[in-house]
Amino acid sequence: MLLTISTTATPATDLGFLLHKHPDRVQRFAQSFGTATVFYPEAGEDRCTAALLLDVDPVALVRTRGRTSPDFSLSQYVNDRPYAASSLMAVAIGDVFRTARSGRCNARPELAAGTLPLEITLPALPCRGGPDLARRLFEPLGWETEARAVPLDEAFPEWGDSRYVRLRLRGRLRLADALNHLYVLLPVLDDGKHYWIAPDEVDKLIRAGEGWLAQHPELTLITRRYLGRRRALERTAFARLAELGDETEEALEPRIEEDKGGPLEEKAVPLNTRRREEVVKTLEELGASSVIDLGCGSGQLVGALLAEPRFARVAGVDVSTLALGIAARKLKLERMPDAKRARLTLFQGALTYTDPRFAGYDAAVLMEVVEHVDPPRLAALERVVFGHAAPQHVIVTTPNSEYNVNYEFLTGMRHPDHRFEWTRAEFAAWAGRVAREYRYTVTFKPVGDEDPDKGSPTQMGVFTREH
């Protein structure tokens, strides 16, 4: 099976730096099921192509199967695995291009952080859902997608199409993002994983999907197929995605299905929804009429505030222009009525630098934001928000790390971008110190279902400036 990645950036051979594979060398990497080979069919200043050729050994593949795997005898040795890019190609991408997927390149850091014109081809790809599914999965990520069904036999067109497609992707993206798209979506298209699905698959999905999975319109399908429809893993993944704050839409939460012989379960309200509702409710109780959402992400809280006429001025700020673009689309800014549009301001800004635009609001909200800030930079955020902007009220929500034991299969923190997660005592100590230093009082509220010993999943601090 073959995968090619091409670029026309100048000089195009910089692709070798990003992939950490020299264009003048042929490199082989042993896999448990065969051999992966990286080579460059072309490497010029104007165009460079890297190829990943995966030679699958059916006998080696059989030997990696667990004892509980079904024994289909002949099908274990005669199958499409050596010829079609499936989950095994995703495994090879994860191993061979591990550093490239992380977005690290010490030799060309600015190159790794920027976008490139890319073209990716997969001559044969199992796709349960046909070309339409391939387009539905890749086009929302910025790819121009060409997916053509492979006929069963070109000599007999009346036989129809096979379940394979020829896929060509074109777009301008970060190479790391492109590789992570393939790593997740190849097994999703195939709708099958040809290795043991362990609990750490949830962590792999969250890491590879950072920055794009939570907003994908096919989030539910991707998650279920990637995790092999293992219900326990699915529940964990959706709970983890809900912890991304307002970036995950509750409409994409998994549907509760009726068990055979049992009643339909009541769908639980996602934690991010409950958190947002609690913030809005608290702002109403405080009597705030102007609110700034610091770190607004995709704008879910901003949208909830705009839906309440009592909030006469609403602002959303984020360091990411991509997030602000997503917020503008979700809020339907172009079609928003003039009266509502006049109440809204969206702008880019960093919360660790003084900005006069942050000031002049009754209340500021830091909803699931502080844990994304490096601890040495927290003092700068405190100074900007509580010292310079100095609103009458500040609402801070953050995960309660003590509650993490209640998340099945969770290892480490709830999100790969979290720099830390506080216990209830640690959050209370931080909030108390900030309140004393900047002349605020602070009260605490639990958000979500409380555990008798571990508390609630989210902890909220409500700061009010002293007169």
Side-chain angles (χ1 to χ4, degrees), residues 147-347:
R148 297 183 179 179
V150 176
L152 282 170
D153 192 321
E154 294 182 355
F156 300 93
E158 65 273 13
W159 288 2
D161 295 328
S162 68
R163 70 182 186 95
Y164 302 93
V165 299
R166 296 186 181 97
L167 184 66
R168 185 186 304 272
L169 305 171
R170 295 185 180 92
R172 188 174 187 90
L173 294 88
R174 289 175 64 241
L175 180 64
D177 293 336
L179 292 172
N180 282 317
H181 295 167
L182 294 172
Y183 179 79
V184 172
L185 297 181
L186 291 185
V188 170
L189 288 169
D190 188 16
D191 197 14
K193 285 196 169 184
H194 304 92
Y195 54 88
W196 174 250
I197 299 178
D200 66 352
E201 291 297 300
V202 174
D203 284 334
K204 294 178 184 177
L205 177 63
I206 298 296
R207 285 195 298 269
E210 182 179 0
W212 61 272
L213 178 59
Q215 292 87 29
H216 201 292
E218 298 293 344
L219 167 64
T220 301
L221 180 144
I222 292 170
T223 303
R224 285 178 170 163
R225 284 194 176 192
Y226 185 87
L227 297 173
R229 295 182 175 81
R230 308 292 172 87
R231 294 293 295 274
L233 295 180
E234 287 175 19
R235 287 194 297 269
T236 300
F238 282 111
R240 295 275 301 280
L241 288 167
E243 283 302 323
L244 300 182
D246 61 3
E247 295 178 0
T248 302
E249 292 199 56
E250 54 272 46
L252 299 178
E253 289 290 312
R255 293 172 297 176
I256 302 298
E257 298 177 359
E258 186 175 359
D259 294 329
K260 293 181 180 179
L264 189 67
E265 299 178 27
E266 183 180 353
K267 181 178 178 179
V269 178
L271 177 60
N272 65 312
T273 302
R274 299 174 68 174
R275 181 165 51 228
R276 187 168 61 248
E277 290 175 347
E278 188 61 39
V279 168
V280 173
K281 176 185 174 184
T282 302
L283 288 168
E284 291 175 343
E285 292 172 350
L286 294 171
S289 63
S290 58
V291 181
I292 182 168
D293 183 7
L294 300 171
C296 66
S298 59
Q300 291 292 325
L301 177 60
V302 169
L305 294 172
L306 286 174
E308 300 293 336
R310 67 169 298 136
F311 299 111
R313 283 198 304 135
V314 177
V317 56
D318 203 280
V319 71
S320 168
T321 54
L322 175 61
L324 291 171
I326 294 172
R329 288 196 300 272
K330 288 189 173 182
L331 293 169
K332 298 180 174 61
L333 209 57
E334 294 181 354
R335 302 194 300 275
M336 186 177 290
D338 292 342
K340 181 181 286 190
R341 181 67 182 87
R343 297 161 53 208
L344 173 64
T345 303
L346 290 176
F347 61 94

Side-chain angles (χ1 to χ4, degrees), residues 93-143:
I93 290 172
D95 177 43
V96 175
F97 297 136
R98 181 184 297 110
T99 306
R101 284 181 55 224
S102 71
R104 298 197 310 272
C105 181
N106 294 334
R108 296 284 195 279
E110 73 289 347
L111 192 66
T115 60
L116 294 173
L118 296 172
E119 179 179 313
I120 295 175
T121 60
L122 290 151
L125 174 66
C127 186
R128 297 184 188 274
D132 178 64
L133 179 60
R135 288 187 285 268
R136 283 163 46 202
L137 294 186
F138 283 102
E139 286 181 351
L141 301 174
W143 291 106

Side-chain angles (χ1 to χ4, degrees), residues 351-352 354 377-390 438:
L351 304 185
T352 52
T354 303
R377 301 293 293 160
L378 267 180
L381 180 144
E382 296 163 10
R383 185 170 58 254
V384 168
V385 176
F386 294 91
H388 292 283
Y438 292 99

Side-chain angles (χ1 to χ4, degrees), residues 3 5 16 18-21 27-31 33-40 50-54 88-102 179 183:
L3 162 72
I5 304 172
L18 294 177
L19 292 174
H20 299 265
K21 304 292 181 288
Q27 299 181 59
R28 293 180 174 83
F29 303 86
Q31 307 292 307
F33 45 79
T35 304
T37 304
V38 177
F39 61 97
Y40 288 76
L52 174 60
L53 178 66
L54 189 57
L88 299 181
M89 177 63 83
V91 172
I93 290 172
D95 177 43
V96 175
F97 297 136
R98 181 184 297 110
T99 306
R101 284 181 55 224
S102 71
L179 292 172
Y183 179 79

